Amino acid sequence: MGTATIRDVARQAKVSLKTVSRVINRESSVREETRERVLRAIEQLDYRPDLSARSLRSAKAYAIGLVYDNPNPYYIIAVQQGALAACREMGFGLQIHPCDSRGPKLAEELRDLVHRSRLAGLVLAPPMSERMALLRELAAYNIPLVRVISAAEDPHDGFPCVFVDDRDAAYAITAYLIQLGHLRIGFLWGGKQHRSSPERYKGYEKALQDYGVPMSDELVLEGDYSFDDGFRGARRLLGLAEPPTAIFGSNDEIAAGVLAAARAAGLHVPYDLSVAGFEDSPFSRHSWPSLTTSRQRTEQIAEHAARLLIAQIHGGDVENEGFSPELVVRGSTAPPRPKA
Amino acid sequence: MGTATIRDVARQAKVSLKTVSRVINRESSVREETRERVLRAIEQLDYRPDLSARSLRSAKAYAIGLVYDNPNPYYIIAVQQGALAACREMGFGLQIHPCDSRGPKLAEELRDLVHRSRLAGLVLAPPMSERMALLRELAAYNIPLVRVISAAEDPHDGFPCVFVDDRDAAYAITAYLIQLGHLRIGFLWGGKQHRSSPERYKGYEKALQDYGVPMSDELVLEGDYSFDDGFRGARRLLGLAEPPTAIFGSNDEIAAGVLAAARAAGLHVPYDLSVAGFEDSPFSRHSWPSLTTSRQRTEQIAEHAARLLIAQIHGGDVENEGFSPELVVRGSTAPPRPKA
DNA sequence: GTCATGACTGACAACGTTGTCAATTTGCGA
DNA sequence: TCGCAAATTGACAACGTTGTCAGTCATGAC
């Protein structure tokens, strides 16, 4: 039993190897009757083409790589699911490759990966997707790639991408807080090495300007997309002489840290303090109160990126595409308590 | 440029293809001097063996599959990281395969996966790892596998495994709650289709018996390892005429739901209600208060499973091995408030 | 009836590697 | 120095697939 090969199919269908190959690859110029006979034989023998042999022989490869360095499991799982969906549909395999974005020889590492595993190309998640030097090196190695990046618009920098308008989304969240009546809104930065981080800050800044809300340096703190940074940052903000009435964390984990700090300080969210996150991870639904946040559609974005990559490999014309996050209002935000 | 092949190396080192192959595969009987010459050539040309060609030619494969159906991102990411660590060390690739554990043709699906991608074997996470029918089918297909399962001891059922003593760990948590002074301890089940679930219940039950704490059916509710089940279950338990003073959720997500329900009911954790989880996911550290739980060492378990699988493929003798979780005490548990 | 045309099919080589087996070299005792 | 086993090396086929190119077969125009 074991595993039928194309040879067995050919024998069973009484045709040549090549004809079977043609049927499998949907090439034209196979008579309908022959095609059916071959398909029947494939069915009977439960034949599946061997991906190794296939990619060895044809220049083409039948798997792509997914490269990331991101400590957020919710984000990664969503990206994997999306990429896998696209791969399954197109008959591709997916090779995951978590890595260190600061590794000195990342380009070589990725080239070896592509070469050894015969990958057709790479999907790069942030922050790898934002390091131009890396992108140029990979391009020099002729490795097809598609990036997921944070940008308000198509960057037109020659590298295909799926871009997410973090700035606009952060603007929406900030504007929403302002409309609730908040005038002192704290902002906790995400990681410096992620482009999404300054983008989100810019959205925050612009909303304050547009609505004429005074900016204040003491309300803005750096961090690194982590729970602990959210906790520490919130503690500092809440210790100010004039503390904020709302805090906008650059992602849900930071916001979770803010929630914890607020509780530790005996504050009641949302009445004493409004908290907003960013990402719509399951965490934002499961925290108490649940988090007002920005829905990213990570899974669709990743699926689209993988699809784009495969299309590019097939030689199709590739159009960059943008996704707009969407404001999700939950229980962690409310109008500020009127001053006693 | 592109990619050097073994042929280029052979030419450069002035030896035959086969000799290069021998050096790469660390076979004996290559003269030291020759070996060095070949290694130098490999270095100069930056040669990497092509995994497709390699696994096509040799019966052996150079990648393993990781099969799971688990909605918990923290768990999955930890499993992936562990398996990847083992794979990288042994020069293997890792193919991830999320799937539907209730799919009717799972065995065929996995066989196709193994065949098409030329996998050397599979690591099965729960609940797939616990379905004997599936295991037997895969064995009939001659697919090497290693399971991660919940069991107090080596099951000796013929399938290699890494087993985790959930029962003992649940016993430890329950005993700890009893020692704090709790006499009415609620228990929220995990998913029926996971073996870990009854195991955890048995640990809970045994501790109550050993300490002579009366059992009460109304304190035990079914669920499915989800936040929502924790929330609903806790609401029901707290609505009892004589509510529990502590609730043990079968995993951290359930416990998070309990925390939310307690807060919604105006209860102060841990003083009005103690809550314990299971798993030590990052969530248990980030919730407020942080969760008393049981540390699973998921990453090491997965790494060990992958290592076991690779050893098995290499024909080594394989010993099943057990891991004992460890009690982690955090802020969500305290002695019950004395009755007024 | 012949011939050109186009649709369809098949023989064979090749992808980059390892297994088999035979050839060559080396080392060592006599 | 010779002979023989052991160590080392190489030639060649094979893994399962697809690309190239040549061959066969109907079809329709003359």
Short mmCIF file of all heavy atoms in Angstrom, two decimals, chain A residues 15-16 18-19 22 29-31 34 56-57, chain C residues 7-17:
data_model
loop_
_atom_site.label_atom_id
_atom_site.label_comp_id
_atom_site.label_asym_id
_atom_site.label_seq_id
_atom_site.Cartn_x
_atom_site.Cartn_y
_atom_site.Cartn_z
N VAL A 15 -2.00 5.49 -19.38
CA VAL A 15 -1.47 6.65 -20.10
C VAL A 15 -0.02 6.84 -19.65
O VAL A 15 0.48 6.07 -18.83
CB VAL A 15 -2.25 7.94 -19.78
CG1 VAL A 15 -3.67 7.87 -20.29
CG2 VAL A 15 -2.25 8.20 -18.27
N SER A 16 0.62 7.85 -20.17
CA SER A 16 2.01 8.08 -19.79
C SER A 16 2.09 8.93 -18.53
O SER A 16 1.12 9.59 -18.14
CB SER A 16 2.75 8.79 -20.91
OG SER A 16 2.33 10.12 -20.97
N LYS A 18 3.57 11.65 -18.18
CA LYS A 18 3.41 13.06 -18.50
C LYS A 18 1.93 13.46 -18.54
O LYS A 18 1.57 14.56 -18.12
CB LYS A 18 4.08 13.36 -19.83
CG LYS A 18 4.07 14.81 -20.19
CD LYS A 18 4.78 15.62 -19.14
CE LYS A 18 4.26 17.03 -19.14
NZ LYS A 18 4.97 17.89 -18.18
N THR A 19 1.12 12.58 -19.07
CA THR A 19 -0.31 12.91 -19.18
C THR A 19 -0.92 13.07 -17.79
O THR A 19 -1.69 13.99 -17.54
CB THR A 19 -1.04 11.81 -19.96
OG1 THR A 19 -0.48 11.75 -21.26
CG2 THR A 19 -2.52 12.12 -20.08
N ARG A 22 0.03 16.30 -16.53
CA ARG A 22 -0.77 17.37 -17.13
C ARG A 22 -2.12 17.51 -16.46
O ARG A 22 -2.60 18.61 -16.22
CB ARG A 22 -0.95 17.11 -18.62
CG ARG A 22 0.19 17.65 -19.44
CD ARG A 22 -0.13 17.62 -20.92
NE ARG A 22 0.34 16.38 -21.53
CZ ARG A 22 1.48 16.29 -22.22
NH1 ARG A 22 2.23 17.35 -22.39
NH2 ARG A 22 1.85 15.15 -22.74
N SER A 29 -5.12 20.96 -23.22
CA SER A 29 -4.77 19.92 -24.19
C SER A 29 -4.61 18.54 -23.55
O SER A 29 -3.55 17.91 -23.63
CB SER A 29 -3.53 20.32 -24.99
OG SER A 29 -2.37 20.15 -24.28
N VAL A 30 -5.66 18.16 -22.83
CA VAL A 30 -5.82 16.75 -22.49
C VAL A 30 -7.27 16.45 -22.85
O VAL A 30 -8.17 17.20 -22.47
CB VAL A 30 -5.61 16.48 -20.99
CG1 VAL A 30 -5.90 15.02 -20.68
CG2 VAL A 30 -4.20 16.84 -20.58
N ARG A 31 -7.49 15.39 -23.60
CA ARG A 31 -8.86 15.11 -24.01
C ARG A 31 -9.71 14.82 -22.78
O ARG A 31 -9.24 14.19 -21.82
CB ARG A 31 -8.91 13.94 -24.97
CG ARG A 31 -10.03 14.10 -26.00
CD ARG A 31 -10.20 12.86 -26.84
NE ARG A 31 -8.92 12.18 -27.02
CZ ARG A 31 -8.80 10.99 -27.56
NH1 ARG A 31 -9.87 10.34 -27.98
NH2 ARG A 31 -7.62 10.43 -27.67
N THR A 34 -9.73 11.28 -21.58
CA THR A 34 -8.49 10.88 -20.93
C THR A 34 -8.41 11.45 -19.52
O THR A 34 -8.05 10.77 -18.56
CB THR A 34 -7.28 11.41 -21.74
OG1 THR A 34 -7.51 11.16 -23.11
CG2 THR A 34 -6.01 10.77 -21.27
N LEU A 56 11.31 19.99 -6.28
CA LEU A 56 12.69 19.71 -6.71
C LEU A 56 12.79 19.85 -8.21
O LEU A 56 13.70 20.47 -8.74
CB LEU A 56 13.08 18.29 -6.30
CG LEU A 56 14.42 17.81 -6.84
CD1 LEU A 56 15.53 18.72 -6.36
CD2 LEU A 56 14.68 16.38 -6.42
N ARG A 57 11.82 19.29 -8.90
CA ARG A 57 11.89 19.28 -10.35
C ARG A 57 11.55 20.64 -10.98
O ARG A 57 12.30 21.16 -11.79
CB ARG A 57 10.93 18.22 -10.89
CG ARG A 57 10.87 18.17 -12.38
CD ARG A 57 12.27 18.06 -12.97
NE ARG A 57 12.25 18.03 -14.41
CZ ARG A 57 13.08 18.73 -15.18
NH1 ARG A 57 14.00 19.51 -14.63
NH2 ARG A 57 13.00 18.65 -16.49
P DA C 7 -5.31 23.76 -31.31
OP1 DA C 7 -6.31 24.78 -30.99
OP2 DA C 7 -3.88 23.97 -30.95
"O5'" DA C 7 -5.78 22.37 -30.70
"C5'" DA C 7 -6.89 21.70 -31.29
"C4'" DA C 7 -6.80 20.24 -30.94
"O4'" DA C 7 -5.69 19.65 -31.64
"C3'" DA C 7 -6.55 19.97 -29.45
"O3'" DA C 7 -7.45 18.97 -29.00
"C2'" DA C 7 -5.11 19.50 -29.39
"C1'" DA C 7 -4.94 18.85 -30.76
N9 DA C 7 -3.57 18.82 -31.27
C8 DA C 7 -2.73 19.88 -31.46
N7 DA C 7 -1.55 19.55 -31.96
C5 DA C 7 -1.62 18.18 -32.09
C6 DA C 7 -0.71 17.23 -32.55
N6 DA C 7 0.52 17.53 -32.99
N1 DA C 7 -1.09 15.93 -32.55
C2 DA C 7 -2.32 15.62 -32.12
N3 DA C 7 -3.28 16.44 -31.66
C4 DA C 7 -2.86 17.71 -31.67
P DC C 8 -7.61 18.74 -27.42
OP1 DC C 8 -8.95 18.16 -27.18
OP2 DC C 8 -7.20 19.97 -26.72
"O5'" DC C 8 -6.53 17.62 -27.15
"C5'" DC C 8 -6.80 16.31 -27.60
"C4'" DC C 8 -5.53 15.52 -27.69
"O4'" DC C 8 -4.47 16.26 -28.27
"C3'" DC C 8 -4.95 15.03 -26.36
"O3'" DC C 8 -5.38 13.69 -26.18
"C2'" DC C 8 -3.43 15.12 -26.55
"C1'" DC C 8 -3.29 15.51 -28.02
N1 DC C 8 -2.11 16.31 -28.40
C2 DC C 8 -1.00 15.67 -28.95
O2 DC C 8 -1.02 14.44 -29.11
N3 DC C 8 0.08 16.40 -29.33
C4 DC C 8 0.07 17.74 -29.16
N4 DC C 8 1.14 18.41 -29.55
C5 DC C 8 -1.05 18.41 -28.61
C6 DC C 8 -2.11 17.66 -28.23
P DT C 9 -5.03 12.95 -24.80
OP1 DT C 9 -5.90 11.77 -24.68
OP2 DT C 9 -4.99 13.97 -23.73
"O5'" DT C 9 -3.55 12.44 -25.06
"C5'" DT C 9 -3.35 11.36 -25.96
"C4'" DT C 9 -1.88 11.08 -26.11
"O4'" DT C 9 -1.21 12.28 -26.53
"C3'" DT C 9 -1.17 10.67 -24.83
"O3'" DT C 9 -0.94 9.28 -24.90
"C2'" DT C 9 0.12 11.48 -24.80
"C1'" DT C 9 0.14 12.15 -26.16
N1 DT C 9 0.74 13.52 -26.20
C2 DT C 9 1.94 13.70 -26.84
O2 DT C 9 2.56 12.80 -27.37
N3 DT C 9 2.39 14.99 -26.85
C4 DT C 9 1.77 16.10 -26.29
O4 DT C 9 2.27 17.21 -26.36
C5 DT C 9 0.52 15.84 -25.63
C7 DT C 9 -0.24 16.95 -24.98
C6 DT C 9 0.06 14.57 -25.62
P DG C 10 -0.27 8.53 -23.63
OP1 DG C 10 -0.72 7.12 -23.66
OP2 DG C 10 -0.48 9.34 -22.42
"O5'" DG C 10 1.26 8.57 -24.04
"C5'" DG C 10 1.65 8.04 -25.29
"C4'" DG C 10 3.13 8.23 -25.50
"O4'" DG C 10 3.41 9.64 -25.67
"C3'" DG C 10 4.00 7.76 -24.33
"O3'" DG C 10 5.11 7.05 -24.86
"C2'" DG C 10 4.46 9.06 -23.67
"C1'" DG C 10 4.50 10.01 -24.85
N9 DG C 10 4.31 11.41 -24.50
C8 DG C 10 3.28 11.95 -23.76
N7 DG C 10 3.37 13.24 -23.63
C5 DG C 10 4.52 13.59 -24.33
C6 DG C 10 5.12 14.85 -24.54
O6 DG C 10 4.74 15.94 -24.15
N1 DG C 10 6.28 14.75 -25.30
C2 DG C 10 6.78 13.58 -25.81
N2 DG C 10 7.90 13.68 -26.50
N3 DG C 10 6.24 12.39 -25.62
C4 DG C 10 5.11 12.47 -24.87
P DA C 11 5.94 6.07 -23.95
OP1 DA C 11 5.62 4.70 -24.39
OP2 DA C 11 5.74 6.44 -22.55
"O5'" DA C 11 7.45 6.44 -24.36
"C5'" DA C 11 7.74 6.88 -25.69
"C4'" DA C 11 9.16 7.42 -25.77
"O4'" DA C 11 9.14 8.85 -25.55
"C3'" DA C 11 10.14 6.86 -24.74
"O3'" DA C 11 11.43 6.81 -25.33
"C2'" DA C 11 10.05 7.88 -23.60
"C1'" DA C 11 9.84 9.19 -24.36
N9 DA C 11 9.00 10.16 -23.65
C8 DA C 11 7.88 9.91 -22.92
N7 DA C 11 7.32 10.98 -22.40
C5 DA C 11 8.15 12.01 -22.83
C6 DA C 11 8.10 13.41 -22.62
N6 DA C 11 7.16 14.01 -21.91
N1 DA C 11 9.07 14.15 -23.18
C2 DA C 11 10.02 13.54 -23.91
N3 DA C 11 10.17 12.23 -24.18
C4 DA C 11 9.18 11.52 -23.60
P DC C 12 12.67 6.20 -24.51
OP1 DC C 12 13.58 5.63 -25.52
OP2 DC C 12 12.18 5.39 -23.37
"O5'" DC C 12 13.36 7.51 -23.92
"C5'" DC C 12 13.62 8.61 -24.80
"C4'" DC C 12 14.13 9.78 -24.00
"O4'" DC C 12 13.02 10.48 -23.40
"C3'" DC C 12 15.07 9.40 -22.84
"O3'" DC C 12 16.27 10.11 -23.01
"C2'" DC C 12 14.30 9.81 -21.59
"C1'" DC C 12 13.42 10.93 -22.13
N1 DC C 12 12.19 11.19 -21.33
C2 DC C 12 11.83 12.52 -21.10
O2 DC C 12 12.55 13.42 -21.55
N3 DC C 12 10.71 12.78 -20.37
C4 DC C 12 9.98 11.79 -19.90
N4 DC C 12 8.89 12.10 -19.21
C5 DC C 12 10.32 10.43 -20.14
C6 DC C 12 11.42 10.17 -20.85
P DA C 13 17.51 9.83 -22.02
OP1 DA C 13 18.68 9.53 -22.86
OP2 DA C 13 17.08 8.91 -20.95
"O5'" DA C 13 17.71 11.29 -21.38
"C5'" DA C 13 17.69 12.43 -22.23
"C4'" DA C 13 17.51 13.68 -21.40
"O4'" DA C 13 16.18 13.69 -20.82
"C3'" DA C 13 18.49 13.82 -20.23
"O3'" DA C 13 18.93 15.16 -20.20
"C2'" DA C 13 17.65 13.44 -19.01
"C1'" DA C 13 16.27 13.91 -19.42
N9 DA C 13 15.17 13.18 -18.79
C8 DA C 13 15.02 11.82 -18.66
N7 DA C 13 13.91 11.46 -18.07
C5 DA C 13 13.28 12.66 -17.79
C6 DA C 13 12.06 12.97 -17.17
N6 DA C 13 11.22 12.05 -16.70
N1 DA C 13 11.73 14.28 -17.05
C2 DA C 13 12.57 15.20 -17.52
N3 DA C 13 13.74 15.03 -18.12
C4 DA C 13 14.04 13.73 -18.23
P DA C 14 20.21 15.56 -19.32
OP1 DA C 14 20.99 16.54 -20.10
OP2 DA C 14 20.84 14.33 -18.80
"O5'" DA C 14 19.56 16.32 -18.08
"C5'" DA C 14 18.69 17.43 -18.28
"C4'" DA C 14 17.94 17.71 -17.01
"O4'" DA C 14 16.93 16.69 -16.82
"C3'" DA C 14 18.81 17.68 -15.74
"O3'" DA C 14 18.89 18.99 -15.21
"C2'" DA C 14 18.10 16.73 -14.79
"C1'" DA C 14 16.75 16.51 -15.44
N9 DA C 14 16.21 15.16 -15.25
C8 DA C 14 16.81 13.96 -15.51
N7 DA C 14 16.05 12.92 -15.23
C5 DA C 14 14.89 13.47 -14.75
C6 DA C 14 13.69 12.91 -14.27
N6 DA C 14 13.47 11.60 -14.21
N1 DA C 14 12.71 13.75 -13.87
C2 DA C 14 12.94 15.07 -13.93
N3 DA C 14 14.02 15.72 -14.36
C4 DA C 14 14.96 14.85 -14.76
P DC C 15 19.97 19.32 -14.07
OP1 DC C 15 20.64 20.56 -14.50
OP2 DC C 15 20.75 18.12 -13.74
"O5'" DC C 15 19.08 19.62 -12.79
"C5'" DC C 15 18.04 20.59 -12.78
"C4'" DC C 15 17.18 20.34 -11.56
"O4'" DC C 15 16.40 19.16 -11.78
"C3'" DC C 15 18.01 20.03 -10.31
"O3'" DC C 15 18.17 21.23 -9.57
"C2'" DC C 15 17.15 19.02 -9.54
"C1'" DC C 15 16.10 18.56 -10.55
N1 DC C 15 16.06 17.09 -10.80
C2 DC C 15 14.85 16.40 -10.61
O2 DC C 15 13.86 17.02 -10.21
N3 DC C 15 14.81 15.07 -10.86
C4 DC C 15 15.92 14.43 -11.29
N4 DC C 15 15.82 13.13 -11.53
C5 DC C 15 17.14 15.13 -11.50
C6 DC C 15 17.17 16.44 -11.24
P DG C 16 19.70 21.64 -9.14
OP1 DG C 16 19.68 23.04 -8.71
OP2 DG C 16 20.66 21.19 -10.16
"O5'" DG C 16 19.93 20.73 -7.84
"C5'" DG C 16 19.16 21.01 -6.69
"C4'" DG C 16 19.35 19.89 -5.69
"O4'" DG C 16 18.91 18.66 -6.30
"C3'" DG C 16 20.80 19.66 -5.27
"O3'" DG C 16 20.82 19.56 -3.86
"C2'" DG C 16 21.19 18.37 -5.97
"C1'" DG C 16 19.84 17.65 -6.02
N9 DG C 16 19.73 16.66 -7.09
C8 DG C 16 20.25 16.73 -8.36
N7 DG C 16 19.96 15.70 -9.10
C5 DG C 16 19.18 14.89 -8.28
C6 DG C 16 18.57 13.63 -8.52
O6 DG C 16 18.59 12.96 -9.56
N1 DG C 16 17.87 13.18 -7.41
C2 DG C 16 17.78 13.84 -6.22
N2 DG C 16 17.06 13.26 -5.27
N3 DG C 16 18.34 15.02 -5.97
C4 DG C 16 19.03 15.48 -7.04
P DT C 17 22.17 19.35 -3.05
OP1 DT C 17 22.13 20.21 -1.88
OP2 DT C 17 23.32 19.40 -3.97
"O5'" DT C 17 22.04 17.83 -2.59
"C5'" DT C 17 21.12 17.50 -1.57
"C4'" DT C 17 20.71 16.06 -1.68
"O4'" DT C 17 20.53 15.70 -3.07
"C3'" DT C 17 21.70 15.03 -1.17
"O3'" DT C 17 21.48 14.83 0.22
"C2'" DT C 17 21.31 13.76 -1.95
"C1'" DT C 17 20.50 14.29 -3.14
N1 DT C 17 21.04 13.90 -4.46
C2 DT C 17 20.63 12.71 -5.01
O2 DT C 17 19.86 11.94 -4.46
N3 DT C 17 21.15 12.43 -6.24
C4 DT C 17 22.02 13.21 -6.97
O4 DT C 17 22.41 12.84 -8.07
C5 DT C 17 22.42 14.43 -6.33
C7 DT C 17 23.37 15.36 -7.03
C6 DT C 17 21.91 14.72 -5.13
#
